Amino acid sequence: MFWDRYFWNLHDDFSYEILEDNPIRFHLTENHTLLLDPGEDLAYISLSFQYKAEDELEVAWDDEAHFHPFVLRFHELQVMVDKIAVVHNLEKWIPALLLRRFVGIESFAELQTISAWELEMRKASGLFTEDELRAWFEKSKQDHENFWDNCDRRWSYQEPFGWVFEGNDAYSLRSSADSHFPFQQWNRMLAELGC
């Protein structure tokens, strides 16, 4: 049931009180931490970044109205999932499914690659039946290819920011136009992770 609610396939009045003001902390390096705060009702899912003991800073959020979730490139997610699994002694599918929504996708071809990877993570979880996995994968393939042909969102490397996700459909704070995004600390973390 948690995953159905987390992926917004189930909307009910259930709440997870343990998650209220209690974000999930993913330590990635000695000085860099991601904080995933799904909230008690999973309606507003926030991702924050913390450098050393500084205040955490929201770098992405997902809701069903005014979302700005896209802060990770797919390769970065894969590296982070591997690191989180080792540091926190978790199976890879857990951080994979929790953080997948924060990946900025550029094209239909990339969506297909990421969906195939996510399918493997879903299989590894053991939480889904074969019918559920097949239905999810078929649904992921139904995204209209012409939507992606007309979609204006691209990753590009721009000095002095590093990788940014920009365009009319980017919905990302990791943009050269966002003066509050912690590019210096973020890029240091990526370098330490080997991204």
Side-chain angles (χ1 to χ4, degrees):
M1 288 294 215
F2 170 83
W3 292 103
D4 287 332
R5 294 183 180 109
Y6 189 76
F7 297 131
W8 299 334
N9 296 324
L10 173 63
H11 298 274
D12 58 13
D13 293 329
F14 194 88
S15 66
Y16 297 92
E17 292 180 14
I18 193 170
L19 294 175
E20 184 178 12
D21 300 321
N22 190 21
I24 302 164
R25 302 177 72 84
F26 293 130
H27 299 289
L28 290 169
T29 75
E30 184 178 343
N31 296 315
H32 304 92
T33 302
L34 290 180
L35 296 93
L36 176 68
D37 187 356
E40 66 175 27
D41 62 0
L42 310 181
Y44 182 96
I45 300 172
S46 174
L47 188 67
S48 296
F49 173 72
Q50 185 175 36
Y51 176 66
K52 294 187 177 178
E54 294 178 5
D55 289 341
E56 61 197 60
L57 180 66
E58 187 175 49
V59 294
W61 75 89
D62 202 7
D63 61 19
E64 295 186 270
H66 305 290
F67 47 86
H68 270 64
F70 305 129
V71 71
L72 299 174
R73 293 182 297 144
F74 178 48
H75 171 69
E76 294 167 353
L77 172 67
Q78 291 177 300
V79 171
M80 289 177 182
V81 162
D82 289 344
K83 182 71 170 185
I84 290 166
V86 170
V87 170
H88 295 278
N89 194 26
L90 295 172
E91 294 184 55
K92 284 172 47 171
W93 66 266
I94 298 171
L97 296 184
L98 287 172
L99 296 175
R100 159 59 185 91
R101 71 185 337 123
F102 297 106
V103 174
I105 300 172
E106 292 183 301
S107 67
F108 184 66
E110 186 181 30
L111 172 66
Q112 291 179 306
T113 299
I114 294 170
S115 293
W117 177 83
E118 184 177 350
L119 179 63
E120 291 305 310
M121 294 296 109
R122 286 174 177 251
K123 283 181 181 176
S125 75
L127 297 172
F128 306 97
T129 67
E130 284 297 323
D131 287 343
E132 288 171 329
L133 290 169
R134 188 169 27 261
W136 173 83
F137 193 62
E138 287 304 315
K139 185 179 176 200
S140 76
K141 290 195 304 187
Q142 287 173 7
D143 275 320
H144 300 293
E145 197 164 352
N146 59 353
F147 164 81
W148 290 96
D149 289 341
N150 298 314
C151 193
D152 179 25
R153 55 168 81 157
R154 291 287 176 266
W155 285 105
S156 63
Y157 191 86
Q158 297 180 29
E159 292 290 357
F161 309 104
W163 287 99
V164 293
F165 196 53
E166 296 182 334
N168 291 329
D169 305 311
Y171 304 110
S172 178
L173 299 178
R174 193 173 167 185
S175 161
S176 60
D178 190 326
S179 60
H180 299 293
F181 192 87
F183 282 105
Q184 185 176 3
Q185 295 93 334
W186 184 268
N187 291 333
R188 187 177 298 133
M189 173 187 70
L190 294 179
E192 287 187 37
L193 291 173
C195 293

